[in-house]
Amino acid sequence: MDVDRATLFPIIPGIELLYFIKDCPNEVTKSHSALKDEPGTIIIQKSTVCDFGIIYRLGKHLPVSFTRYGCDMAVLINVNLLHSEDMQAFQEIWSFVQSMEEQFQLEGQFCVAKLSPKLKEVFEELCQIPLPPTMFRFYMQLKVLEILIQLSNLNLYSKQVHFYPYQEFAE
C-alpha cells in the first residue's frame, strides 16, 4: 500500500484515515502521514473489489494474491502515539486497541475478515463524505470508532475470519 498517494485525514493523534479513491485539494489535507514510518502501526484496510478487510502491521509484506484486490480506504493506528485522554470516553475501544496486536498476533501473521453488513455500511458511509470534509470531521471520528467497535466484536474463530503468514523475502 502506497500511503503517499492517499488523501489523508488525521482523526486523533495516533489514528489516521486514508482515502485511495477520492482526490482532495492538497492545501486541505495533510500530505505526510505521521504514522507511516512509526514502528508498531497497524493497518485496517478495506478491499476495493471484494467485501473483505485486512488487518496487518505496517512494514510487513502481504502475499501478492492479497495485494491485487487493492485498497480504497484504510485506517492507520499506532497505540504508542494514542493518548488515554483522547480515548477516555471509549474505554472498551481503548482496551481493544491496546490489545489488537496481541489479539490478532500481527507480529507473525495478518488477518483477513469478510466484512459484516454493519461494518460494510460504516465503510460505505465514510466513502459518501464530501471532500474536503472540514464540516464532517466529528462524523469521521465517530465512524472510525464505530469500525473499531465492530472489529472488537469480531469472532476470530468464525468461518469469516482467516489468518495467513506474511510474505517473506530473501535478504
Side-chain angles (χ1 to χ4, degrees), residues 74-144:
V75 177
L76 299 181
I77 301 173
N78 192 303
V79 178
N80 301 326
L81 300 177
L82 280 171
H83 302 289
S84 60
E85 309 84 59
D86 292 332
M87 302 294 284
Q88 68 186 12
F90 311 101
Q91 286 300 317
E92 290 153 8
I93 297 172
W94 176 235
S95 297
F96 169 71
V97 168
Q98 288 178 307
S99 68
M100 268 181 84
E101 185 159 356
E102 183 179 315
Q103 186 174 352
F104 290 102
Q105 299 176 7
L106 296 176
E107 182 60 37
Q109 65 186 8
F110 63 98
C111 176
V112 177
K114 182 173 170 50
L115 299 178
S116 67
K118 181 62 182 158
L119 194 52
K120 194 173 176 182
E121 181 182 325
V122 174
F123 277 111
E124 288 170 1
E125 290 170 349
L126 275 169
C127 284
Q128 295 170 4
I129 295 173
L131 297 181
T134 51
M135 301 284 295
F136 298 93
R137 184 171 178 81
F138 182 69
Y139 181 74
M140 292 172 81
Q141 291 171 343
L142 288 176
K143 290 298 162 185
V144 168

Side-chain angles (χ1 to χ4, degrees), residues 14-121:
I15 300 178
E16 296 174 343
L17 180 61
L18 291 87
Y19 287 98
F20 292 91
I21 55 172
K22 293 183 176 185
D23 288 320
C24 189
N26 286 338
E27 63 272 4
V28 178
T29 62
K30 190 174 181 183
S31 61
H32 180 73
S33 170
L35 305 180
K36 78 170 194 166
D37 299 322
E38 289 293 324
T41 296
I42 297 170
I43 299 173
I44 304 165
Q45 78 180 39
K46 181 187 169 295
S47 171
T48 304
V49 295
C50 299
D51 62 346
F52 65 81
I54 303 174
I55 303 168
Y56 62 102
R57 279 193 58 194
L58 192 66
K60 298 287 189 169
H61 301 286
L62 298 178
V64 174
S65 58
F66 288 98
T67 58
R68 71 173 180 229
Y69 293 111
C71 173
D72 59 4
M73 187 179 305
V75 177
L76 299 181
I77 301 173
N78 192 303
V79 178
N80 301 326
L81 300 177
L82 280 171
H83 302 289
S84 60
E85 309 84 59
D86 292 332
M87 302 294 284
Q88 68 186 12
F90 311 101
Q91 286 300 317
E92 290 153 8
I93 297 172
W94 176 235
S95 297
F96 169 71
V97 168
Q98 288 178 307
S99 68
M100 268 181 84
E101 185 159 356
E102 183 179 315
Q103 186 174 352
F104 290 102
Q105 299 176 7
L106 296 176
E107 182 60 37
Q109 65 186 8
F110 63 98
C111 176
V112 177
K114 182 173 170 50
L115 299 178
S116 67
K118 181 62 182 158
L119 194 52
K120 194 173 176 182
E121 181 182 325

